Amino acid sequence: MRHRTIVTAAALAALSAVGCLPAAPASAATGTFAYTFRAPRGVLTSILTDPPSGICLPLPEVLGPHALGPAYAPHNDTGAPARVFTGPDCTGGYATLRPHGRRAPVQVLLRSMLFTP
């Protein structure tokens, strides 16, 4: 009888310890990231909320045969640095935008980006 109580107590202790472990690191840049682009309907702004970190993010509005040029004037209002690239698939020239920074000038062009943890 006593053996069963000890085993049960040990199992409960192990389960409660698992609940105390720290959460896995966040895989998103918390906040918003905005950029402006030209479209057939005029100039538009796209906003990404809590974008993923550590992967290249192509901007679909400025890629492909119907794109009217790269996006421009990005604004990184996330908690992570953002690297914006002039080419698709995080290629070409780049600029790094600070977390919660000001809107970049219109001369900063982008077709893809990467948030770093």
Side-chain angles (χ1 to χ4, degrees):
M1 240 6 196
R2 180 142 169 81
H3 185 278
R4 183 181 298 166
T5 304
I6 292 171
V7 171
T8 303
L12 288 174
L15 285 175
S16 66
V18 169
C20 295
L21 293 175
S27 61
T30 304
T32 59
F33 184 90
Y35 54 92
T36 304
F37 62 97
R38 289 182 301 156
R41 319 181 282 280
V43 175
L44 301 174
T45 298
S46 187
I47 299 174
L48 304 174
T49 302
D50 299 337
S53 294
I55 60 170
C56 182
L57 302 172
L59 308 181
E61 301 92 344
V62 297
L63 297 171
H66 301 293
L68 298 178
Y72 56 93
H75 181 212
N76 182 18
D77 199 16
T78 71
R83 186 167 283 180
V84 296
F85 294 86
T86 58
D89 302 319
C90 296
T91 59
Y94 67 88
T96 301
L97 306 177
R98 286 187 253 161
H100 302 293
R102 294 182 178 175
R103 181 174 294 280
V106 296
Q107 294 85 358
V108 176
L109 306 177
L110 62 151
R111 286 192 171 93
S112 58
M113 64 184 160
L114 173 71
F115 289 91
T116 56

